[in-house]
Amino acid sequence: MTEEQTTQQMLMELIKEECTIDTTEVLEYPPTALSLGEKTIQTKGGDITIPIPIGTYGNFSFVQAPPKTKKTFFASLLASVYLSGGNNFGGKLKGHREGRCLIHFDTEQGHWHSQRVFKRVIDMANVKDVGCFHKTPMLIKKMYEKHPNKINWFASKERIKHKKDVWYKDKNGLVVIDGVADLVSDVNNLEESNLCVQKIMEWSAKYNCHIMTVIHSNYGSDKPTGHLGSFLEKKTETQIQLEANTVNKEWVTVSCKRSRGYAFETFSFSINEFGLPFVVGEIYDPLEYFVVPKNKILE
């Protein structure tokens, strides 16, 4: 064989080795990023109790809902739980952060509204030091300025030439992309939609994080919008659906529409008088654990 053929054969052998599954290898349960509840399962080594994941590291999930169903509030609620591990707003929701970073992209809003969203996450976290929390608003304007293909720009060297700016070496945790449809020019463009989902899968695996995306549902349907929604459905670990509660008009019901593992229980959330989302059915005091920001002094 020629040197080029030998190199190609070695490359194919390497790919084969990396892609082969050893069924005798003992694998641990996938590390969880966010969970709700626990499940006891029987194993050869005895019963073990595991968290029921909303999302695990190395995978992605997506939230779908009709317009004005408080999707961004829900994303804020989960982000605050992840930052703190659990708080009085999140009820039984738990975050398994273990020192990792929260990266929050807001593709739909300007600085003023984005700042409100990010401040809400911090206020609800109920911790004095939120640690590694990267907040990025106003992606759309920059996308159009930088690159005609938005998803390629999002992953481009201009955006991540310094990994510390977006991706954190060995510390990636939960990544929220609020407005995944804004990463494509048309949610019904097959090529762009496929590329977008492939990129999300690549990032979650490469950076060992959990990526949570948010997308609209089709009008009058429970299907996520466009070809992009269809691709997300096929590849996601967890499909989360939000619906306006028909009995309590101020509530939004959260259900696990699909999951690769155990489905978490349905629950609802509402917005309190301070404009903060909270899981209903839990006894809580909205000010009990409120942390005064360092730059504010109580009078």
Side-chain angles (χ1 to χ4, degrees), residues 54-67:
I54 292 176
T56 60
Y57 292 113
N59 285 299
F60 83 92
S61 59
F62 75 95
V63 178
Q64 66 166 81

Side-chain angles (χ1 to χ4, degrees), residues 84-133:
S84 60
N87 55 56
N88 55 315
F89 295 94
K92 296 178 182 178
L93 290 165
K94 290 186 178 180
H96 306 265
R97 186 179 184 186
E98 298 180 353
R100 304 181 192 226
C101 298
L102 169 65
I103 309 172
H104 196 151
F105 294 103
D106 191 331
T107 69
E108 296 184 333
Q109 303 183 108
H111 276 284
W112 190 84
H113 288 93
S114 293
Q115 186 193 53
R116 290 185 66 190
V117 172
F118 300 144
K119 284 174 62 67
R120 183 164 66 220
V121 172
I122 293 172
D123 289 344
M124 294 166 61
N126 298 329
V127 291
K128 292 183 179 179
D129 183 6
V130 297
C132 182
F133 179 18

Side-chain angles (χ1 to χ4, degrees), residues 3-48:
E3 182 178 350
E4 182 178 352
Q5 289 174 326
T6 301
T7 301
Q8 183 66 21
Q9 183 178 1
M10 291 175 63
L11 177 60
M12 294 306 296
E13 288 293 331
L14 179 61
I15 293 174
K16 179 182 177 181
E17 182 179 343
E18 290 181 346
C19 295
T20 300
I21 300 295
D22 181 2
T23 56
T24 64
E25 182 182 1
V26 179
L27 297 177
E28 294 184 358
Y29 190 77
T32 304
L34 285 163
S35 68
L36 177 60
E38 295 180 333
K39 179 76 174 180
T40 299
I41 58 176
Q42 295 180 334
T43 70
K44 291 181 179 179
D47 292 353
I48 61 171

Side-chain angles (χ1 to χ4, degrees), residues 264-285:
F264 62 82
E265 291 185 0
T266 298
F267 65 96
S268 297
F269 72 94
S270 187
I271 311 300
N272 69 13
E273 62 269 36
F274 301 100
L276 302 175
F278 67 96
V279 174
V280 298
E282 304 289 340
I283 299 175
Y284 85 107
D285 178 351

Side-chain angles (χ1 to χ4, degrees), residues 214-240:
V214 180
I215 190 171
H216 287 280
S217 296
N218 288 327
Y219 182 77
S221 168
D222 65 349
K223 296 282 291 181
T225 186
H227 289 311
L228 178 59
S230 296
F231 280 119
L232 288 170
E233 279 190 307
K234 293 174 183 176
K235 301 296 185 180
T236 190
E237 176 186 30
T238 311
Q239 183 177 354
I240 303 167

